[in-house]
Amino acid sequence: MTKDIFELPAPPVSSIVGHLFDLGQDPLSFLSACRDYGDIVPLRLGLTPTCLLTNPEYIEEVLKNREHFIKSRGFRVLKSLLGEGLLTAEGDSWFRQRRLAQSVFHQKRISGYGETMVDYTYRMLQSWQDGEVHDIHADMMRLTLEIVMKCIFNTDVNAGEAKVVANALDMTMHWFESKRRQNFLVWEWFPRPENIRYRHAIAEMDAAIYQLISDRRDRNENRNDLLSMLMDAQDEETHEQMNDQQLRDEVATLMLAGHETTANALSWTWMLLSQHPQIRAKLEAELQQVLQGNLPTIDDLRRLPYTQQVIKESMRLYPPVSLMGREAAQDTKIGEYEVSQGTTIMISQWVMHRHPQYFERPEAFQPERWTEEFEKQLPRGVYIPFGDGPRICIGKSFAQMEAALLLATIAQYFQADLMFGFSIVPQPSITLRPEYGVKVKLKQIAHLPSLPKQQEQVSAPR
């Protein structure tokens, strides 16, 4: 016998718009408090029937069933930016794109980008000076964007079309965040100044991406970058390849997802390491023992287990994405509960990653908890920084490799100490950003290695 979700215990409603005001004021605290009400918590967000899932079995059930549960309305707004890319597409469109893109993100292929990641990080460190004050979140955003643009187009972010794309992407990110704060009550087509700038930014970005695609087709050259791989990708069954529109959508998706989440994960990591000097010392000791002052390579990562644990624990406490939304595409069930078509399903990484049922001292920063035994006994649906199911982030391996290489490179030579009195506020938007950045004072702890002449020319600023 099925049960009605909306007969379950729920937080008290304090407004005519239901729980919308409470969620808007402090979403992370509100959703964390909701966990106490049970495995499924019914919510009312305006006129939209909604529920929060806190049972990992239910979370897995929803994430695995891509036909019954599609991306939620708030996330679908991103289609104006990303089109039918992997983040936003549904149904057959998504399945076909995923099949085409899968080979592009094969582990052997993305491993080739490790040297690019380290080279660009070395370039950044050459400009750092002992005692400088930096917003390290801005540094990480700039660095990861340069890396992803190099990996996609095999060109520097400061060059021509790539710079236009980067500027347009940044503007559209700010637009989306402002609209989320307004609960999307102001439509993008309404002729407000910020909406006009948003549409203009997308048009500029489209023109730049299409020009890069056109130039690549005209030259008929393979530059061993992600764009070339996407252009060469062929459906095993139909032998079809991506047209220009599909390429544009996937490139825009890669640019958004390929730098934002890694930059945020690293920013929170620097904050946590500054707050926990004993953990930072243990990390530095591993890096010194394994790397001995040299720049890391892909092969070094398997010998850096504590570095990997630091990143996993940082993404537990501060997941790059703190909230996912799904919508019931038809009348269906979650467990034994009825779910009506149109119901919004909320899944919060922030809530699950800090769940006391699965994590001892859940608010504490303890990288050592991530043993092989611990991960084996952790139920699926609890630790989901990259999502799960068929729509798990296709760039997961790329992001994990990048975060580990950048952390290992930087932490050997510099410490980042938080500026006293600077307020760091998590901002749960598309991603979990520090709203006002992360202000730190740099302390150089080792000299940068000298590179061979050939590598110096590759890594020198352009």
Side-chain angles (χ1 to χ4, degrees):
M1 181 178 177
T2 56
K3 302 177 182 178
D4 186 354
I5 285 178
F6 294 96
E7 293 178 358
L8 293 171
V13 173
S14 59
S15 167
I16 193 172
V17 293
H19 301 101
L20 199 57
F21 180 77
D22 296 316
L23 182 66
Q25 286 291 101
D26 189 350
L28 300 179
S29 296
F30 173 72
L31 293 174
S32 296
C34 286
R35 186 174 54 212
D36 297 335
Y37 287 88
D39 291 346
I40 301 182
V41 185
L43 301 171
R44 185 162 63 83
L45 305 182
L47 300 176
T48 305
T50 306
C51 64
L52 172 71
L53 303 184
T54 63
N55 182 322
E57 292 183 7
Y58 294 161
I59 290 172
E60 279 299 291
E61 188 177 336
V62 169
L63 294 180
K64 286 179 178 178
N65 193 339
R66 67 177 182 85
E67 295 181 354
H68 286 192
F69 300 99
I70 61 176
K71 292 294 179 77
S72 62
R73 173 181 173 270
F75 203 87
R76 292 200 298 271
V77 173
L78 270 177
K79 283 198 173 191
S80 56
L81 170 63
L82 305 180
E84 291 295 319
L86 281 175
L87 275 178
T88 49
E90 298 287 354
D92 292 341
S93 174
W94 172 84
F95 184 71
R96 180 178 179 278
Q97 286 296 95
R98 178 80 181 204
R99 195 164 56 191
L100 277 170
Q102 191 70 50
S103 62
V104 173
F105 287 90
H106 190 277
Q107 184 64 49
K108 288 184 179 179
R109 283 193 166 185
I110 65 169
S111 294
Y113 293 111
E115 186 175 343
T116 296
M117 295 169 180
V118 174
D119 282 347
Y120 273 73
T121 307
Y122 182 87
R123 287 169 54 172
M124 180 190 73
L125 294 180
Q126 286 180 306
S127 70
W128 282 14
Q129 298 295 324
D130 183 66
E132 288 181 337
V133 175
H134 281 226
D135 176 358
I136 203 164
H137 176 245
D139 287 346
M140 294 301 99
M141 289 287 286
R142 186 162 47 249
L143 173 60
T144 56
L145 182 58
E146 288 176 353
I147 290 170
V148 78
M149 296 294 282
K150 178 69 173 179
C151 292
I152 294 173
F153 300 114
N154 197 16
T155 185
D156 287 321
V157 74
N158 292 323
E161 298 94 338
K163 184 176 181 181
V164 172
V165 173
N167 290 338
L169 186 62
D170 187 59
M171 186 179 297
T172 54
M173 279 294 296
H174 287 302
W175 176 91
F176 186 86
E177 290 173 8
S178 71
K179 289 297 166 282
R180 280 183 68 91
R181 287 194 294 269
Q182 298 165 5
N183 294 306
F184 298 102
L185 295 178
V186 180
W187 296 281
E188 66 184 73
W189 51 262
F190 195 77
R192 291 168 62 96
E194 66 269 25
N195 291 342
I196 294 172
R197 288 193 296 269
Y198 169 69
R199 291 196 299 272
H200 180 68
I202 292 178
E204 278 194 329
M205 184 180 73
D206 285 354
I209 293 175
Y210 280 125
Q211 187 61 54
L212 287 163
I213 293 170
S214 176
D215 289 347
R216 190 67 59 85
R217 288 201 190 280
D218 290 344
R219 293 172 185 167
N220 194 28
E221 61 179 351
N222 189 320
R223 300 176 66 175
N224 197 31
D225 53 23
L226 289 173
L227 177 58
S228 292
M229 292 181 191
L230 287 170
M231 294 176 75
D232 290 342
Q234 189 174 86
D235 191 295
E236 293 180 359
E237 295 182 6
T238 66
H239 304 294
E240 292 181 351
Q241 294 178 297
M242 294 188 196
N243 59 34
D244 286 0
Q245 175 71 58
Q246 292 166 331
L247 286 169
R248 175 263 175 220
D249 293 347
E250 295 307 339
V251 165
T253 299
L254 286 172
M255 288 189 299
L256 173 65
H259 86 285
E260 176 88 15
T261 52
T262 305
N264 289 336
L266 286 168
S267 299
W268 296 119
T269 302
W270 298 124
M271 180 196 76
L272 289 165
L273 289 172
S274 177
Q275 294 170 337
H276 300 83
Q278 76 284 2
I279 293 175
R280 183 166 68 182
K282 186 174 179 179
L283 170 67
E284 291 169 359
E286 177 183 80
L287 295 174
Q288 177 57 39
Q289 179 183 359
V290 174
L291 301 177
Q292 299 182 4
N294 297 311
L295 295 174
T297 66
I298 291 292
D299 293 335
D300 291 321
L301 292 183
R302 64 177 180 272
R303 299 188 295 135
L304 297 171
Y306 194 67
T307 303
Q308 311 274 7
Q309 289 175 316
V310 166
I311 293 169
K312 285 180 180 177
E313 181 70 346
S314 174
M315 289 198 296
R316 182 187 71 82
L317 284 172
Y318 293 90
V321 176
S322 60
L323 180 65
M324 295 186 290
R326 294 291 188 268
E327 181 182 304
Q330 60 189 69
D331 291 344
T332 184
K333 292 195 304 181
I334 299 176
E336 58 184 344
Y337 295 96
E338 294 178 349
V339 180
S340 301
Q341 180 180 358
T343 300
T344 294
I345 315 296
M346 298 176 72
I347 299 168
S348 173
Q349 290 94 325
W350 178 277
V351 172
M352 296 306 297
H353 290 189
R354 294 169 178 247
H355 202 307
Q357 183 175 339
Y358 307 105
F359 299 99
E360 184 179 349
R361 297 184 63 209
E363 304 295 324
F365 182 50
Q366 296 180 326
E368 293 82 0
R369 75 171 84 232
W370 290 100
T371 63
E372 187 176 343
E373 295 72 25
F374 174 76
E375 291 196 55
K376 284 182 179 178
Q377 60 85 32
L378 195 65
R380 293 191 68 168
V382 174
Y383 183 71
I384 46 174
F386 297 97
D388 208 346
R391 300 200 67 148
I392 191 170
C393 176
I394 197 172
K396 175 182 176 181
S397 296
F398 184 98
Q400 289 175 320
M401 177 180 73
E402 182 178 25
L405 284 174
L406 269 58
L407 178 61
T409 303
I410 299 169
Q412 283 192 91
Y413 311 113
F414 283 90
Q415 292 179 350
D417 295 315
L418 294 173
M419 295 296 291
F420 180 75
F422 183 78
S423 179
I424 302 176
V425 180
Q427 180 189 56
S429 182
I430 304 174
T431 61
L432 185 66
R433 281 181 163 192
E435 186 169 4
Y436 307 111
V438 179
K439 198 69 69 71
V440 301
K441 187 174 183 178
L442 301 178
K443 179 181 179 182
Q444 189 162 4
I445 57 175
H447 293 294
L448 291 173
S450 299
L451 298 181
K453 284 293 182 183
Q454 183 178 6
Q455 193 171 353
E456 272 186 17
Q457 292 173 3
V458 173
S459 297
R462 304 171 191 178

mmCIF file of all heavy atoms in Angstrom, residues 6 17 43-51 73 327 342-345:
data_model
loop_
_atom_site.group_PDB
_atom_site.id
_atom_site.type_symbol
_atom_site.label_atom_id
_atom_site.label_comp_id
_atom_site.label_asym_id
_atom_site.label_seq_id
_atom_site.Cartn_x
_atom_site.Cartn_y
_atom_site.Cartn_z
ATOM 1 N N PHE A 6 2.778 13.949 1.447
ATOM 2 C CA PHE A 6 2.401 15.206 2.094
ATOM 3 C C PHE A 6 1.576 15.012 3.361
ATOM 4 O O PHE A 6 1.077 15.972 3.940
ATOM 5 C CB PHE A 6 1.711 16.111 1.075
ATOM 6 C CG PHE A 6 2.650 16.534 -0.017
ATOM 7 C CD1 PHE A 6 2.686 15.854 -1.225
ATOM 8 C CD2 PHE A 6 3.557 17.555 0.189
ATOM 9 C CE1 PHE A 6 3.584 16.206 -2.219
ATOM 10 C CE2 PHE A 6 4.454 17.917 -0.792
ATOM 11 C CZ PHE A 6 4.478 17.245 -2.001
ATOM 12 N N VAL A 17 3.734 31.934 1.393
ATOM 13 C CA VAL A 17 4.430 31.235 0.310
ATOM 14 C C VAL A 17 5.061 29.934 0.800
ATOM 15 O O VAL A 17 5.954 29.375 0.174
ATOM 16 C CB VAL A 17 5.512 32.132 -0.326
ATOM 17 C CG1 VAL A 17 4.892 33.306 -1.045
ATOM 18 C CG2 VAL A 17 6.526 32.602 0.717
ATOM 19 N N LEU A 43 7.685 19.726 1.657
ATOM 20 C CA LEU A 43 7.851 21.172 1.732
ATOM 21 C C LEU A 43 6.885 21.821 0.758
ATOM 22 O O LEU A 43 6.453 21.202 -0.219
ATOM 23 C CB LEU A 43 9.289 21.578 1.385
ATOM 24 C CG LEU A 43 10.409 20.998 2.255
ATOM 25 C CD1 LEU A 43 11.772 21.313 1.644
ATOM 26 C CD2 LEU A 43 10.323 21.540 3.675
ATOM 27 N N ARG A 44 6.579 23.072 1.013
ATOM 28 C CA ARG A 44 5.741 23.835 0.086
ATOM 29 C C ARG A 44 6.487 25.098 -0.306
ATOM 30 O O ARG A 44 6.706 25.990 0.510
ATOM 31 C CB ARG A 44 4.390 24.183 0.725
ATOM 32 C CG ARG A 44 3.441 24.873 -0.260
ATOM 33 C CD ARG A 44 1.999 24.821 0.234
ATOM 34 N NE ARG A 44 1.820 25.525 1.480
ATOM 35 C CZ ARG A 44 1.634 26.842 1.575
ATOM 36 N NH1 ARG A 44 1.630 27.592 0.483
ATOM 37 N NH2 ARG A 44 1.457 27.418 2.748
ATOM 38 N N LEU A 45 6.889 25.155 -1.560
ATOM 39 C CA LEU A 45 7.605 26.319 -2.086
ATOM 40 C C LEU A 45 6.672 27.055 -3.024
ATOM 41 O O LEU A 45 6.572 26.742 -4.203
ATOM 42 C CB LEU A 45 8.891 25.884 -2.799
ATOM 43 C CG LEU A 45 9.863 25.021 -1.979
ATOM 44 C CD1 LEU A 45 11.112 24.702 -2.788
ATOM 45 C CD2 LEU A 45 10.226 25.694 -0.661
ATOM 46 N N GLY A 46 5.964 28.038 -2.491
ATOM 47 C CA GLY A 46 4.930 28.708 -3.263
ATOM 48 C C GLY A 46 3.844 27.709 -3.598
ATOM 49 O O GLY A 46 3.279 27.054 -2.712
ATOM 50 N N LEU A 47 3.545 27.551 -4.877
ATOM 51 C CA LEU A 47 2.529 26.595 -5.310
ATOM 52 C C LEU A 47 3.126 25.261 -5.744
ATOM 53 O O LEU A 47 2.403 24.376 -6.218
ATOM 54 C CB LEU A 47 1.722 27.199 -6.473
ATOM 55 C CG LEU A 47 0.970 28.502 -6.175
ATOM 56 C CD1 LEU A 47 0.305 29.032 -7.434
ATOM 57 C CD2 LEU A 47 -0.053 28.279 -5.065
ATOM 58 N N THR A 48 4.447 25.121 -5.587
ATOM 59 C CA THR A 48 5.122 23.921 -6.072
ATOM 60 C C THR A 48 5.233 22.878 -4.971
ATOM 61 O O THR A 48 5.903 23.118 -3.951
ATOM 62 C CB THR A 48 6.535 24.258 -6.585
ATOM 63 O OG1 THR A 48 6.445 25.280 -7.582
ATOM 64 C CG2 THR A 48 7.201 23.030 -7.179
ATOM 65 N N PRO A 49 4.608 21.708 -5.140
ATOM 66 C CA PRO A 49 4.792 20.632 -4.154
ATOM 67 C C PRO A 49 6.227 20.123 -4.227
ATOM 68 O O PRO A 49 6.749 19.837 -5.305
ATOM 69 C CB PRO A 49 3.786 19.571 -4.604
ATOM 70 C CG PRO A 49 3.571 19.830 -6.060
ATOM 71 C CD PRO A 49 3.736 21.310 -6.258
ATOM 72 N N THR A 50 6.859 20.024 -3.072
ATOM 73 C CA THR A 50 8.284 19.716 -3.013
ATOM 74 C C THR A 50 8.562 18.778 -1.854
ATOM 75 O O THR A 50 7.824 18.769 -0.864
ATOM 76 C CB THR A 50 9.105 21.014 -2.828
ATOM 77 O OG1 THR A 50 8.752 21.952 -3.854
ATOM 78 C CG2 THR A 50 10.597 20.759 -2.880
ATOM 79 N N CYS A 51 9.625 17.996 -1.959
ATOM 80 C CA CYS A 51 10.071 17.211 -0.814
ATOM 81 C C CYS A 51 11.583 17.089 -0.826
ATOM 82 O O CYS A 51 12.222 17.127 -1.890
ATOM 83 C CB CYS A 51 9.412 15.830 -0.782
ATOM 84 S SG CYS A 51 9.844 14.771 -2.172
ATOM 85 N N ARG A 73 12.825 22.553 -12.505
ATOM 86 C CA ARG A 73 12.555 23.786 -13.258
ATOM 87 C C ARG A 73 13.673 24.814 -13.096
ATOM 88 O O ARG A 73 14.101 25.441 -14.074
ATOM 89 C CB ARG A 73 11.236 24.392 -12.785
ATOM 90 C CG ARG A 73 10.931 25.762 -13.390
ATOM 91 C CD ARG A 73 9.614 26.315 -12.868
ATOM 92 N NE ARG A 73 9.414 27.675 -13.305
ATOM 93 C CZ ARG A 73 9.820 28.741 -12.634
ATOM 94 N NH1 ARG A 73 10.474 28.593 -11.491
ATOM 95 N NH2 ARG A 73 9.598 29.971 -13.078
ATOM 96 N N GLU A 327 12.517 16.655 -10.897
ATOM 97 C CA GLU A 327 11.071 16.848 -10.987
ATOM 98 C C GLU A 327 10.438 15.551 -11.494
ATOM 99 O O GLU A 327 10.961 14.925 -12.436
ATOM 100 C CB GLU A 327 10.746 17.987 -11.949
ATOM 101 C CG GLU A 327 9.268 18.276 -12.093
ATOM 102 C CD GLU A 327 9.005 19.391 -13.091
ATOM 103 O OE1 GLU A 327 9.551 20.493 -12.905
ATOM 104 O OE2 GLU A 327 8.253 19.144 -14.060
ATOM 105 N N GLY A 342 5.077 16.525 -11.519
ATOM 106 C CA GLY A 342 5.328 17.939 -11.242
ATOM 107 C C GLY A 342 5.929 18.207 -9.878
ATOM 108 O O GLY A 342 6.349 19.336 -9.591
ATOM 109 N N THR A 343 5.992 17.195 -9.005
ATOM 110 C CA THR A 343 6.592 17.377 -7.682
ATOM 111 C C THR A 343 8.100 17.574 -7.819
ATOM 112 O O THR A 343 8.771 16.837 -8.547
ATOM 113 C CB THR A 343 6.318 16.156 -6.780
ATOM 114 O OG1 THR A 343 4.913 15.987 -6.627
ATOM 115 C CG2 THR A 343 6.954 16.327 -5.410
ATOM 116 N N THR A 344 8.630 18.565 -7.114
ATOM 117 C CA THR A 344 10.070 18.808 -7.105
ATOM 118 C C THR A 344 10.721 17.972 -6.010
ATOM 119 O O THR A 344 10.256 17.962 -4.867
ATOM 120 C CB THR A 344 10.370 20.299 -6.872
ATOM 121 O OG1 THR A 344 9.893 21.059 -7.988
ATOM 122 C CG2 THR A 344 11.876 20.529 -6.726
ATOM 123 N N ILE A 345 11.790 17.269 -6.371
ATOM 124 C CA ILE A 345 12.536 16.439 -5.427
ATOM 125 C C ILE A 345 13.869 17.127 -5.149
ATOM 126 O O ILE A 345 14.656 17.366 -6.073
ATOM 127 C CB ILE A 345 12.805 15.032 -5.993
ATOM 128 C CG1 ILE A 345 11.543 14.445 -6.652
ATOM 129 C CG2 ILE A 345 13.376 14.123 -4.923
ATOM 130 C CD1 ILE A 345 10.405 14.224 -5.716
#
